[in-house]
Amino acid sequence: MNLRINPTRMELLRLKKRVRVAKRGHKLLKDKRDELMKRFMALIRDVKNMRLTVEKRLMEAYRSFLVARAVMSPEVLEEAIMFPTQQVEISIKEVRMMSIIAPVFTLQQEGAMYSYGLASSSSDLDAALDTFSAVLPLLVELASVERSLDLLAEEIEKTRRRVNALEYVLIPNLEKTVKSIAMKLSEQERAAITRLMKIKDVVRAK
Amino acid sequence: MSISQDSRYAYAVGRIRVLENKLLDKTKMQRLQNAKSVDEALLVLSETDYADLVAKAPNPYDIDAITTEEIKRVYLLIRELLPKEALADLFLIKYDIHNLKVLLKAHYQKKDFDYLLVDAGLVPAETIKSVLKNDQLPSIPKEYYEGVKAAKAAYEERQDPKVIDEVLDRTQTAMVADMASKGGHEFYRRLLAAQVDLVNLKSLARVKRLGRGRAFLDDSLLPGGTLAPSFFTPLYGSDWAQLVQAFSLTPYKAVVEQGVAAYLESGQLTTLEKLADNFQMTMLREAKMFALGPEPIIAYVMAKENEVRNIRIIMIGKKNGVATAEIAERLRESYV
């Protein structure tokens, strides 16, 4: 589609400059998209492994907890864990990566984890808490990496849309317009020459 | 105990001997264990003494409600059979101690945990609650009062809720041992001493596994067993082989040997805990030799508590799709 622009030499020069800028931008965005894809693919492999590990550890923790739940009555189990002494704090930092701002969660665990007496509790409860406690930093790290992955995917999508808009819409439109202005200008030039030649003939005939 | 004294239990023992036949034996447990689903397990349960409870339960899948009801029924029966004896009280103290732990922990957190109270003890849960709330401690049994005072002092000094459990667990053991002595229940005292030894053994293994240090173990050990706490403390620093060696001259030799071997193989103390419970069950079976006396009654209550726990393990396992073999690993031996 041609742009609605006056077919002047000035506009032609301006449009040619825009085409150059658009092509340069297109190349840069294409490079950015490729780099984002590269990082995304590397990260997705890590996340997959991490998620599998976390899910496996969580399954173990839930299984131990299930056994503790079966061996201890529900009231005794809940009494054992009703007064937790461990404080967990998550701090968030932001890291800039390829124009996205990704969060990095840092977990801090303070205080004793076993806040119950051993006489009325089962060793399966220790095992469950142990595994839950060990899996928590991994879970927080996974959350951080998965969020980065989400942001990266959004950015890839956005960049892909821009690259396509430049490649299939803006640059062809600009080029078409440049071409049509150039044609119009040469047409005008030819008309002017013809007009001059005609005037010259009229003058000569007199 | 003389024959004339034992004869007080004649009627109760007669009734208990009949009820013992209704306990779930190995075959019934096996059927329950091999059930393919919770529904099938409930059907098996409906063919046993639990039929009434399963039929009347508002939600038959709520196995906790069914087992709690059954155990309450047993305590009521003991009270009915022996109205002048405090035998059932031996088993009820643990509920009061549980309520005291809940209320003290709730008090220090300034939160309401009333849903965790169990109204099955010697003192109604509401009474304990109002007594603690209004600081009228002298109106509950002296041992509870002193236990609460000690637990409060320990918590305020160390700011660790674990000490509330530890102090009150000691109170419970001392109180039950004292009641058993006063009631002349020698059999129960022996059982209790073995139970304390086994709890201490499990605590030792757990603290070693967790690597929590000697002080943690010292706090966790209960007095009143046949082996003094000082027997366990030095074993914290020794390796597992030395631990097995240390128990080689005690009655718990087989429990420790097999339990430690299983731990070294799997990293879990589940087998040790199961073997410890099975050891108690073997002791409990001695009660079958007593024609009269409180022993068969005590054994019946403990057998029922064990049975209820086994049913809970099976049903919770079935409900959550745990493999039959894995359930079997955790089941305790039956009394019959």
Side-chain angles (χ1 to χ4, degrees):
Chain A
M1 192 182 74
N2 280 358
L3 303 176
R4 288 173 166 245
I5 285 172
N6 288 335
T8 61
R9 201 160 289 278
M10 190 79 164
E11 283 298 336
L12 182 69
L13 288 171
R14 208 175 57 80
L15 279 181
K16 278 185 175 168
K17 201 173 163 190
R18 270 187 76 188
V19 171
R20 273 201 307 278
V21 172
K23 280 188 173 167
R24 173 112 186 99
H26 174 249
K27 190 186 173 303
L28 283 173
L29 281 174
K30 224 166 134 180
D31 289 349
K32 180 183 172 184
R33 185 195 62 187
D34 293 347
E35 182 58 29
L36 282 171
M37 278 305 287
K38 217 167 93 186
R39 290 198 186 192
F40 183 80
M41 294 313 286
L43 211 56
I44 211 161
R45 268 194 297 273
D46 290 350
V47 167
K48 195 181 168 196
N49 291 337
M50 209 185 272
R51 182 162 265 279
L52 285 175
T53 314
V54 168
E55 277 174 6
K56 198 176 151 217
R57 300 290 296 274
L58 274 178
M59 285 253 295
E60 281 167 24
Y62 279 115
R63 240 178 51 169
S64 298
F65 198 71
L66 187 75
V67 177
R69 161 77 188 79
V71 177
M72 297 163 75
S73 73
E75 294 85 8
V76 173
L77 175 68
E78 215 169 317
E79 179 272 316
I81 51 177
M82 69 183 273
F83 200 161
T85 45
Q86 192 171 61
Q87 301 280 326
V88 174
E89 207 180 294
I90 294 180
S91 52
I92 307 171
K93 270 200 302 190
E94 289 179 339
V95 171
R96 190 172 276 277
M97 173 175 68
M98 305 274 308
S99 79
I100 62 167
I101 298 169
V104 177
F105 304 123
T106 319
L107 180 78
Q108 277 173 319
Q109 288 167 288
E110 257 176 51
M113 188 172 58
Y114 310 101
S115 57
Y116 49 86
L118 299 186
S120 50
S121 58
S122 152
S123 72
D124 290 301
L125 183 61
D126 305 343
L129 290 187
D130 255 358
T131 327
F132 274 125
S133 176
V135 84
L136 190 60
L138 289 178
L139 203 63
V140 170
E141 198 189 335
L142 180 69
S144 168
V145 179
E146 282 196 338
R147 181 68 191 133
S148 302
L149 206 66
D150 275 352
L151 292 170
L152 220 50
E154 272 173 34
E155 189 63 21
I156 289 173
E157 182 60 27
K158 225 188 296 178
T159 315
R160 202 177 55 82
R161 268 204 310 272
R162 282 182 187 159
V163 169
N164 286 346
L166 282 173
E167 192 173 336
Y168 298 108
V169 183
L170 190 69
I171 296 176
N173 285 352
L174 285 174
E175 281 177 338
K176 225 169 166 181
T177 315
V178 165
K179 205 174 162 188
S180 85
I181 293 176
M183 277 168 67
K184 218 152 208 169
L185 286 176
S186 4
E187 181 68 27
Q188 278 173 6
E189 209 173 330
R190 277 195 297 277
I193 291 171
T194 317
R195 206 162 35 245
L196 280 174
M197 282 167 75
K198 190 77 185 164
I199 293 168
K200 204 173 167 187
D201 283 350
V202 172
V203 171
R204 262 193 206 145
K206 280 184 182 173
Chain B
M1 198 174 277
S2 67
I3 290 182
S4 62
Q5 272 178 308
D6 277 353
S7 61
R8 282 179 303 168
Y9 298 101
Y11 171 68
V13 171
R15 286 274 301 269
I16 290 296
R17 291 294 183 212
V18 174
L19 290 171
E20 267 177 13
N21 293 329
K22 292 182 179 173
L23 284 170
L24 303 191
D25 57 15
K26 271 186 192 163
T27 325
K28 281 179 192 152
M29 273 299 172
Q30 196 84 44
R31 279 189 61 206
L32 203 58
Q33 209 177 306
N34 290 337
K36 287 191 178 67
S37 62
V38 187
D39 292 306
E40 203 181 312
L42 279 172
L43 271 179
V44 176
L45 215 52
S46 303
E47 294 167 16
T48 66
D49 208 19
Y50 292 84
D52 266 7
L53 289 171
V54 174
K56 284 179 193 159
N59 173 15
Y61 297 102
D62 185 0
I63 201 66
D64 289 320
I66 292 174
T67 50
T68 306
E69 205 50 47
E70 175 66 6
I71 210 74
K72 276 187 186 171
R73 198 164 76 168
V74 171
Y75 296 143
L76 266 177
L77 173 81
I78 305 302
R79 283 200 155 159
E80 183 197 310
L81 290 177
L82 300 163
K84 289 177 190 164
E85 296 277 330
L87 195 61
D89 296 358
L90 292 172
F91 302 97
L92 301 181
I93 290 171
K94 57 177 172 280
Y95 295 104
D96 288 337
I97 294 290
H98 164 82
N99 290 342
L100 288 173
K101 287 179 189 174
V102 170
L103 289 166
L104 273 184
K105 289 183 180 180
H107 166 73
Y108 284 115
Q109 286 187 92
K110 296 186 174 61
K111 282 183 188 165
D112 184 12
F113 284 100
D114 285 1
Y115 68 97
L116 290 179
L117 297 175
V118 183
D119 211 4
L122 296 177
V123 185
E126 267 311 310
T127 311
I128 296 190
K129 191 184 164 190
S130 76
V131 160
L132 281 191
K133 198 175 169 188
N134 304 319
D135 214 12
Q136 296 166 322
L137 289 176
S139 53
I140 52 174
K142 189 174 145 248
E143 292 86 349
Y144 291 168
Y145 162 55
E146 280 168 2
V148 168
K149 260 199 341 194
K152 276 184 161 180
Y155 177 78
E156 273 149 28
E157 188 194 326
R158 294 179 43 188
Q159 296 294 310
D160 184 355
K162 182 171 74 73
V163 296
I164 296 177
D165 284 353
E166 286 162 356
V167 170
L168 289 174
D169 283 336
R170 276 188 214 119
T171 303
Q172 179 185 332
T173 315
M175 200 174 164
V176 173
D178 190 44
M179 277 177 84
S181 291
K182 283 182 185 155
H185 305 307
E186 190 46 39
F187 176 69
Y188 190 73
R189 263 185 54 77
R190 279 199 302 118
L191 274 177
L192 188 71
Q195 194 178 6
V196 168
D197 286 341
L198 292 166
V199 164
N200 286 342
L201 165 66
K202 288 187 275 184
S203 297
L204 168 65
R206 284 167 73 182
V207 178
K208 259 176 90 65
R209 179 178 165 271
L210 299 172
R212 298 296 298 170
R214 198 178 285 243
F216 193 98
L217 175 65
D218 276 337
D219 292 342
S220 306
L221 294 172
L222 296 175
T226 58
L227 304 169
S230 56
F231 173 83
F232 295 90
T233 315
L235 293 174
Y236 176 76
S238 57
D239 61 28
W240 291 99
Q242 284 169 320
L243 191 142
V244 172
Q245 183 63 35
F247 279 93
S248 60
L249 296 174
T250 69
Y252 315 111
K253 184 181 175 226
V255 173
V256 178
E257 269 175 8
Q258 292 169 34
V260 167
Y263 167 70
L264 294 175
E265 202 184 309
S266 66
Q268 300 291 326
L269 291 169
T270 314
T271 310
L272 180 75
E273 290 191 337
K274 176 184 161 171
L275 290 169
D277 288 348
N278 287 350
F279 181 90
Q280 274 177 272
M281 189 48 76
T282 313
M283 282 184 80
L284 215 55
R285 289 203 192 100
E286 287 173 23
K288 288 182 181 174
M289 306 299 161
F290 291 87
L292 287 175
E295 293 80 5
I297 305 161
I298 292 169
Y300 175 74
V301 178
M302 292 177 84
K304 204 69 186 169
E305 285 176 342
N306 183 59
E307 178 183 282
V308 155
R309 182 168 45 191
N310 276 344
I311 291 175
R312 209 169 44 220
I313 294 173
I314 294 176
M315 298 304 277
I316 291 178
K318 294 279 162 212
K319 219 168 160 181
N320 293 282
V322 179
T324 307
E326 226 173 304
I327 294 176
E329 269 174 32
R330 288 169 168 88
L331 287 185
R332 274 65 174 159
E333 278 177 14
S334 297
Y335 179 65
V336 285

mmCIF file of all heavy atoms in Angstrom, chain A residues 94-125:
data_model
loop_
_atom_site.group_PDB
_atom_site.id
_atom_site.type_symbol
_atom_site.label_atom_id
_atom_site.label_comp_id
_atom_site.label_asym_id
_atom_site.label_seq_id
_atom_site.Cartn_x
_atom_site.Cartn_y
_atom_site.Cartn_z
ATOM 1 N N GLU A 94 16.223 -7.069 40.917
ATOM 2 C CA GLU A 94 15.903 -7.058 39.491
ATOM 3 C C GLU A 94 17.178 -7.111 38.666
ATOM 4 O O GLU A 94 18.152 -6.433 38.996
ATOM 5 C CB GLU A 94 15.104 -5.807 39.146
ATOM 6 C CG GLU A 94 13.702 -5.887 39.701
ATOM 7 C CD GLU A 94 12.883 -4.657 39.404
ATOM 8 O OE1 GLU A 94 13.483 -3.610 39.128
ATOM 9 O OE2 GLU A 94 11.655 -4.758 39.471
ATOM 10 N N VAL A 95 17.156 -7.925 37.636
ATOM 11 C CA VAL A 95 18.326 -8.046 36.768
ATOM 12 C C VAL A 95 17.894 -7.716 35.345
ATOM 13 O O VAL A 95 16.882 -8.219 34.861
ATOM 14 C CB VAL A 95 18.897 -9.485 36.832
ATOM 15 C CG1 VAL A 95 19.963 -9.699 35.783
ATOM 16 C CG2 VAL A 95 19.465 -9.766 38.198
ATOM 17 N N ARG A 96 18.685 -6.811 34.667
ATOM 18 C CA ARG A 96 18.340 -6.429 33.298
ATOM 19 C C ARG A 96 19.002 -7.412 32.334
ATOM 20 O O ARG A 96 20.192 -7.694 32.441
ATOM 21 C CB ARG A 96 18.832 -5.003 33.028
ATOM 22 C CG ARG A 96 18.327 -4.410 31.754
ATOM 23 C CD ARG A 96 18.712 -2.962 31.698
ATOM 24 N NE ARG A 96 17.757 -2.124 32.403
ATOM 25 C CZ ARG A 96 16.618 -1.695 31.857
ATOM 26 N NH1 ARG A 96 16.318 -2.018 30.634
ATOM 27 N NH2 ARG A 96 15.808 -0.932 32.532
ATOM 28 N N MET A 97 18.199 -7.956 31.420
ATOM 29 C CA MET A 97 18.744 -8.933 30.479
ATOM 30 C C MET A 97 18.048 -8.717 29.133
ATOM 31 O O MET A 97 16.839 -8.916 29.033
ATOM 32 C CB MET A 97 18.461 -10.350 31.010
ATOM 33 C CG MET A 97 18.822 -11.460 30.071
ATOM 34 S SD MET A 97 18.605 -13.088 30.832
ATOM 35 C CE MET A 97 16.846 -13.171 31.016
ATOM 36 N N MET A 98 18.803 -8.223 28.103
ATOM 37 C CA MET A 98 18.255 -8.018 26.763
ATOM 38 C C MET A 98 16.950 -7.210 26.801
ATOM 39 O O MET A 98 15.925 -7.665 26.338
ATOM 40 C CB MET A 98 17.941 -9.365 26.095
ATOM 41 C CG MET A 98 19.074 -10.335 26.008
ATOM 42 S SD MET A 98 20.111 -10.126 24.567
ATOM 43 C CE MET A 98 18.991 -10.135 23.262
ATOM 44 N N SER A 99 16.978 -6.083 27.437
ATOM 45 C CA SER A 99 15.855 -5.160 27.569
ATOM 46 C C SER A 99 14.678 -5.676 28.404
ATOM 47 O O SER A 99 13.635 -5.052 28.443
ATOM 48 C CB SER A 99 15.351 -4.681 26.203
ATOM 49 O OG SER A 99 14.538 -5.661 25.622
ATOM 50 N N ILE A 100 14.849 -6.841 29.071
ATOM 51 C CA ILE A 100 13.783 -7.233 30.000
ATOM 52 C C ILE A 100 14.318 -7.123 31.431
ATOM 53 O O ILE A 100 15.523 -7.272 31.660
ATOM 54 C CB ILE A 100 13.236 -8.660 29.738
ATOM 55 C CG1 ILE A 100 14.328 -9.709 29.916
ATOM 56 C CG2 ILE A 100 12.572 -8.789 28.404
ATOM 57 C CD1 ILE A 100 13.780 -11.104 29.991
ATOM 58 N N ILE A 101 13.406 -6.868 32.347
ATOM 59 C CA ILE A 101 13.839 -6.767 33.746
ATOM 60 C C ILE A 101 13.316 -8.004 34.467
ATOM 61 O O ILE A 101 12.115 -8.141 34.705
ATOM 62 C CB ILE A 101 13.316 -5.474 34.391
ATOM 63 C CG1 ILE A 101 13.904 -4.283 33.643
ATOM 64 C CG2 ILE A 101 13.698 -5.415 35.862
ATOM 65 C CD1 ILE A 101 13.272 -2.972 34.000
ATOM 66 N N ALA A 102 14.243 -8.953 34.748
ATOM 67 C CA ALA A 102 13.848 -10.229 35.339
ATOM 68 C C ALA A 102 14.046 -10.189 36.856
ATOM 69 O O ALA A 102 15.036 -9.637 37.322
ATOM 70 C CB ALA A 102 14.671 -11.337 34.733
ATOM 71 N N PRO A 103 13.110 -10.780 37.613
ATOM 72 C CA PRO A 103 13.286 -10.795 39.069
ATOM 73 C C PRO A 103 14.205 -11.939 39.504
ATOM 74 O O PRO A 103 14.180 -13.013 38.901
ATOM 75 C CB PRO A 103 11.862 -11.022 39.584
ATOM 76 C CG PRO A 103 11.193 -11.793 38.506
ATOM 77 C CD PRO A 103 11.849 -11.416 37.208
ATOM 78 N N VAL A 104 14.972 -11.701 40.547
ATOM 79 C CA VAL A 104 15.786 -12.771 41.141
ATOM 80 C C VAL A 104 15.377 -12.860 42.606
ATOM 81 O O VAL A 104 15.516 -11.895 43.361
ATOM 82 C CB VAL A 104 17.295 -12.463 41.019
ATOM 83 C CG1 VAL A 104 18.121 -13.539 41.711
ATOM 84 C CG2 VAL A 104 17.693 -12.364 39.565
ATOM 85 N N PHE A 105 14.806 -14.012 42.988
ATOM 86 C CA PHE A 105 14.348 -14.187 44.370
ATOM 87 C C PHE A 105 15.475 -14.792 45.196
ATOM 88 O O PHE A 105 16.106 -15.763 44.775
ATOM 89 C CB PHE A 105 13.138 -15.120 44.433
ATOM 90 C CG PHE A 105 11.985 -14.679 43.569
ATOM 91 C CD1 PHE A 105 11.466 -15.514 42.591
ATOM 92 C CD2 PHE A 105 11.415 -13.435 43.751
ATOM 93 C CE1 PHE A 105 10.409 -15.117 41.796
ATOM 94 C CE2 PHE A 105 10.346 -13.024 42.958
ATOM 95 C CZ PHE A 105 9.843 -13.861 41.981
ATOM 96 N N THR A 106 15.678 -14.233 46.382
ATOM 97 C CA THR A 106 16.678 -14.813 47.285
ATOM 98 C C THR A 106 15.968 -15.229 48.564
ATOM 99 O O THR A 106 15.218 -14.451 49.152
ATOM 100 C CB THR A 106 17.785 -13.790 47.623
ATOM 101 O OG1 THR A 106 18.085 -13.086 46.419
ATOM 102 C CG2 THR A 106 19.024 -14.460 48.163
ATOM 103 N N LEU A 107 16.211 -16.484 48.951
ATOM 104 C CA LEU A 107 15.520 -17.048 50.123
ATOM 105 C C LEU A 107 16.451 -17.040 51.325
ATOM 106 O O LEU A 107 17.618 -17.415 51.214
ATOM 107 C CB LEU A 107 15.110 -18.481 49.790
ATOM 108 C CG LEU A 107 14.383 -19.242 50.878
ATOM 109 C CD1 LEU A 107 12.929 -18.815 50.933
ATOM 110 C CD2 LEU A 107 14.456 -20.735 50.623
ATOM 111 N N GLN A 108 15.886 -16.614 52.441
ATOM 112 C CA GLN A 108 16.675 -16.683 53.674
ATOM 113 C C GLN A 108 15.871 -17.448 54.712
ATOM 114 O O GLN A 108 14.714 -17.104 54.981
ATOM 115 C CB GLN A 108 16.970 -15.285 54.183
ATOM 116 C CG GLN A 108 18.168 -14.668 53.486
ATOM 117 C CD GLN A 108 18.354 -13.226 53.867
ATOM 118 O OE1 GLN A 108 17.383 -12.490 53.973
ATOM 119 N NE2 GLN A 108 19.587 -12.839 54.055
ATOM 120 N N GLN A 109 16.469 -18.522 55.248
ATOM 121 C CA GLN A 109 15.784 -19.326 56.270
ATOM 122 C C GLN A 109 16.521 -19.127 57.588
ATOM 123 O O GLN A 109 17.725 -19.301 57.648
ATOM 124 C CB GLN A 109 15.794 -20.804 55.880
ATOM 125 C CG GLN A 109 14.850 -21.114 54.723
ATOM 126 C CD GLN A 109 15.085 -22.488 54.125
ATOM 127 O OE1 GLN A 109 16.079 -22.698 53.453
ATOM 128 N NE2 GLN A 109 14.174 -23.403 54.354
ATOM 129 N N GLU A 110 15.756 -18.796 58.604
ATOM 130 C CA GLU A 110 16.375 -18.548 59.911
ATOM 131 C C GLU A 110 15.624 -19.312 60.980
ATOM 132 O O GLU A 110 14.404 -19.406 60.942
ATOM 133 C CB GLU A 110 16.289 -17.058 60.236
ATOM 134 C CG GLU A 110 17.593 -16.305 60.041
ATOM 135 C CD GLU A 110 17.408 -14.830 60.287
ATOM 136 O OE1 GLU A 110 16.861 -14.491 61.332
ATOM 137 O OE2 GLU A 110 17.798 -14.043 59.395
ATOM 138 N N GLY A 111 16.337 -19.833 61.953
ATOM 139 C CA GLY A 111 15.688 -20.514 63.074
ATOM 140 C C GLY A 111 15.607 -22.010 62.861
ATOM 141 O O GLY A 111 15.821 -22.517 61.762
ATOM 142 N N ALA A 112 15.269 -22.704 63.959
ATOM 143 C CA ALA A 112 15.234 -24.170 63.917
ATOM 144 C C ALA A 112 13.984 -24.659 63.205
ATOM 145 O O ALA A 112 12.929 -24.049 63.308
ATOM 146 C CB ALA A 112 15.266 -24.716 65.330
ATOM 147 N N MET A 113 14.146 -25.770 62.474
ATOM 148 C CA MET A 113 13.012 -26.284 61.722
ATOM 149 C C MET A 113 12.170 -27.245 62.566
ATOM 150 O O MET A 113 10.970 -27.336 62.392
ATOM 151 C CB MET A 113 13.535 -27.002 60.484
ATOM 152 C CG MET A 113 12.459 -27.398 59.531
ATOM 153 S SD MET A 113 13.145 -28.010 58.016
ATOM 154 C CE MET A 113 14.146 -29.364 58.542
ATOM 155 N N TYR A 114 12.831 -27.952 63.487
ATOM 156 C CA TYR A 114 12.107 -28.975 64.266
ATOM 157 C C TYR A 114 11.575 -28.342 65.548
ATOM 158 O O TYR A 114 12.301 -28.220 66.524
ATOM 159 C CB TYR A 114 13.023 -30.157 64.567
ATOM 160 C CG TYR A 114 13.724 -30.652 63.325
ATOM 161 C CD1 TYR A 114 15.046 -30.315 63.069
ATOM 162 C CD2 TYR A 114 13.040 -31.422 62.394
ATOM 163 C CE1 TYR A 114 15.675 -30.734 61.915
ATOM 164 C CE2 TYR A 114 13.666 -31.845 61.237
ATOM 165 C CZ TYR A 114 14.980 -31.489 61.003
ATOM 166 O OH TYR A 114 15.598 -31.905 59.856
ATOM 167 N N SER A 115 10.326 -27.933 65.498
ATOM 168 C CA SER A 115 9.775 -27.223 66.661
ATOM 169 C C SER A 115 8.818 -28.108 67.447
ATOM 170 O O SER A 115 7.857 -27.642 68.006
ATOM 171 C CB SER A 115 9.050 -25.971 66.172
ATOM 172 O OG SER A 115 8.053 -26.351 65.252
ATOM 173 N N TYR A 116 9.091 -29.404 67.445
ATOM 174 C CA TYR A 116 8.198 -30.321 68.158
ATOM 175 C C TYR A 116 9.029 -31.350 68.925
ATOM 176 O O TYR A 116 10.189 -31.601 68.595
ATOM 177 C CB TYR A 116 7.270 -31.043 67.178
ATOM 178 C CG TYR A 116 7.987 -31.644 65.993
ATOM 179 C CD1 TYR A 116 8.542 -32.915 66.063
ATOM 180 C CD2 TYR A 116 8.140 -30.920 64.818
ATOM 181 C CE1 TYR A 116 9.220 -33.458 64.982
ATOM 182 C CE2 TYR A 116 8.821 -31.460 63.735
ATOM 183 C CZ TYR A 116 9.350 -32.725 63.820
ATOM 184 O OH TYR A 116 10.038 -33.259 62.754
ATOM 185 N N GLY A 117 8.397 -31.940 69.932
ATOM 186 C CA GLY A 117 9.072 -32.968 70.714
ATOM 187 C C GLY A 117 9.134 -34.262 69.923
ATOM 188 O O GLY A 117 8.291 -34.512 69.069
ATOM 189 N N LEU A 118 10.146 -35.097 70.229
ATOM 190 C CA LEU A 118 10.299 -36.320 69.437
ATOM 191 C C LEU A 118 9.435 -37.466 69.961
ATOM 192 O O LEU A 118 9.099 -38.383 69.220
ATOM 193 C CB LEU A 118 11.772 -36.752 69.433
ATOM 194 C CG LEU A 118 12.780 -35.765 68.823
ATOM 195 C CD1 LEU A 118 14.160 -36.383 68.764
ATOM 196 C CD2 LEU A 118 12.358 -35.327 67.427
ATOM 197 N N ALA A 119 9.088 -37.396 71.253
ATOM 198 C CA ALA A 119 8.399 -38.546 71.862
ATOM 199 C C ALA A 119 7.047 -38.836 71.220
ATOM 200 O O ALA A 119 6.656 -39.989 71.105
ATOM 201 C CB ALA A 119 8.239 -38.308 73.357
ATOM 202 N N SER A 120 6.334 -37.784 70.825
ATOM 203 C CA SER A 120 4.984 -38.039 70.298
ATOM 204 C C SER A 120 4.899 -37.828 68.783
ATOM 205 O O SER A 120 3.811 -37.712 68.243
ATOM 206 C CB SER A 120 3.982 -37.140 71.013
ATOM 207 O OG SER A 120 4.441 -35.812 70.991
ATOM 208 N N SER A 121 6.051 -37.767 68.135
ATOM 209 C CA SER A 121 6.004 -37.582 66.672
ATOM 210 C C SER A 121 6.752 -38.727 65.986
ATOM 211 O O SER A 121 7.451 -39.490 66.646
ATOM 212 C CB SER A 121 6.610 -36.238 66.290
ATOM 213 O OG SER A 121 7.927 -36.161 66.760
ATOM 214 N N SER A 122 6.580 -38.799 64.666
ATOM 215 C CA SER A 122 7.187 -39.913 63.933
ATOM 216 C C SER A 122 8.389 -39.427 63.111
ATOM 217 O O SER A 122 8.452 -38.259 62.726
ATOM 218 C CB SER A 122 6.116 -40.508 63.023
ATOM 219 O OG SER A 122 6.692 -41.087 61.895
ATOM 220 N N SER A 123 9.307 -40.349 62.842
ATOM 221 C CA SER A 123 10.499 -39.968 62.053
ATOM 222 C C SER A 123 10.111 -39.588 60.616
ATOM 223 O O SER A 123 10.853 -38.905 59.938
ATOM 224 C CB SER A 123 11.506 -41.104 62.031
ATOM 225 O OG SER A 123 11.032 -42.142 61.211
ATOM 226 N N ASP A 124 8.936 -40.056 60.184
ATOM 227 C CA ASP A 124 8.485 -39.690 58.833
ATOM 228 C C ASP A 124 8.208 -38.196 58.744
ATOM 229 O O ASP A 124 8.329 -37.602 57.674
ATOM 230 C CB ASP A 124 7.227 -40.483 58.462
ATOM 231 C CG ASP A 124 7.557 -41.947 58.239
ATOM 232 O OD1 ASP A 124 8.383 -42.229 57.365
ATOM 233 O OD2 ASP A 124 7.024 -42.785 58.964
ATOM 234 N N LEU A 125 7.817 -37.599 59.881
ATOM 235 C CA LEU A 125 7.577 -36.150 59.900
ATOM 236 C C LEU A 125 8.913 -35.410 59.712
ATOM 237 O O LEU A 125 8.985 -34.432 58.959
ATOM 238 C CB LEU A 125 6.898 -35.747 61.218
ATOM 239 C CG LEU A 125 6.511 -34.280 61.355
ATOM 240 C CD1 LEU A 125 5.517 -33.871 60.297
ATOM 241 C CD2 LEU A 125 5.919 -34.008 62.735
#
